Amino acid sequence: MPHIKVNEDLPGIRSLMAFSPETAAPMGELANLLLRTNEGLTMAERELIATYVSYLNDCFYCQHSHGAIVTCYLNDHNELVNQVIKDLDRAPVSDKLRALLHIAGSAQKGGKFVTDEQVKTAKRFGATDRDIHDTVLITAAFCMFNRYVDGLASQTPTDMSSYPLRARQIAERGYGNHIFINKQPVAEEQQG
Amino acid sequence: MPHIELESHLPGITGLLEYRKDTGQPIRELTQILMRGSSTLTEGERELIATIVSHGNQCRFCTTAHTAAADLLLGEKATTRAVKEDIESAPVSGKMKALLAIAKATGKNGKLVTPQMVERAKAEGATDAELHDTVLIAALFSLYNRYVDGMATAMPDNEAYFDTLAERIVHHGYTRLPQGYDHLKQ
């Protein structure tokens, strides 16, 4: 049960954003700027970093929400997220992305865990300053989102079929207030 | 040395917020709303929350900056020192003790906030809005702490930098200075 009184029809961060729309606006904007661009890193790669960090923070709602968005961007190829989580060193990602995911894993523990060596490796595989910056800021942002979601014990949907439906909303329209203002998506066979 | 090239006259967070101004803007706006917007928690109390989280995350730049801001707002330095040492014996209200404990737990991981901790805060008079803001401030500073240390940003050359920074945070707030930061160049 959530620690504060929120709209029970809304899951996870959506219920918190509806509780506090004023703070939701800049958070949605930050998510769009960090996750909805292909500059340097693709949108799928950015969401993969978000998913990996949420997994490390043990935030079920965020991990599965963003994992579903990765899958959506990869045309429903749903193996990659599990491969990265299970064994990052063997997962079929580019050397650059692997190096950046290692940086994300360190920054999740604490900023000081990111080593010069990790950064050097990422740069050797072609990561730009901007890629490294965005990796660390996506990690930091998800350390915020994960804590917000779990620190207030917001509701986590147990129906796993609901995650791809919400992911599609994000893939189509991006982040923003529509995710808590509009009616939550339901599967076609459940409608009417 | 920072992991990427940042303007050398801007240590800590400021160089990062200037490096990518577009993402800096919503981060600043969120901070301004939470730390300076209307709230039943005083600005000093909110700076105490930022301080305890940054201290727990061992981020020296953020801890020093927000300790200085809290000291300025509270008009003394004893409270920040006591809170960092031991929340329970610090000279703050019962409600603040409960909220600071929640903030400290959130800084480590949201799951560490227990229903008992929340019940205690409510029994001490904390409202839902105060609980919400406490958790979100703690979450936001978990972002800042990782951003600042994860990029290995520089500490300022002298401690007086933090006095100037605290003055700015208290009297101007968290929004970008309209004239930018070139005046800080030596």
Side-chain angles (χ1 to χ4, degrees), chain A residues 75-117:
Chain A
N75 298 318
D76 296 327
H77 169 65
N78 63 4
E79 274 308 298
L80 188 65
V81 170
N82 286 332
Q83 287 168 323
V84 164
I85 285 170
K86 272 195 197 131
D87 189 354
L88 176 54
D89 285 322
R90 285 161 185 249
V93 293
S94 68
D95 287 332
K96 178 178 117 176
L97 182 58
R98 195 188 325 280
L100 292 173
L101 285 164
H102 277 299
I103 290 175
S106 293
Q108 179 270 340
K109 285 191 218 124
K112 287 189 180 62
F113 289 87
V114 178
T115 64
D116 290 344
E117 198 54 46

Side-chain angles (χ1 to χ4, degrees), chain B residues 54-159:
Chain B
S54 302
H55 182 252
N57 283 328
Q58 299 177 350
C59 181
R60 204 169 133 220
F61 181 88
C62 298
T63 306
T64 313
H66 294 280
T67 298
D71 287 348
L72 191 58
L73 285 159
L74 300 174
E76 40 88 4
K77 293 171 186 273
T79 304
T80 51
R81 199 179 310 135
V83 159
K84 283 184 275 187
E85 204 148 289
D86 175 37
I87 293 170
E88 294 306 322
S89 62
V92 294
S93 67
K95 181 178 86 177
M96 271 315 287
K97 283 179 192 178
L99 292 178
L100 287 168
I102 288 171
K104 196 174 176 179
T106 303
K108 289 196 196 111
N109 189 301
K111 285 198 166 61
L112 298 175
V113 179
T114 63
Q116 290 74 23
M117 292 164 80
V118 175
E119 260 163 51
R120 177 190 172 198
K122 287 182 180 173
E124 294 281 1
T127 63
D128 275 11
E130 289 171 344
L131 284 162
H132 170 274
D133 289 1
T134 297
V135 169
L136 188 48
I137 291 169
L140 173 61
F141 279 85
S142 297
L143 176 157
Y144 275 127
N145 300 158
R146 280 171 177 77
Y147 195 19
V148 164
D149 281 341
M151 299 306 296
T153 61
M155 278 294 278
D157 293 334
N158 63 79
E159 289 285 312

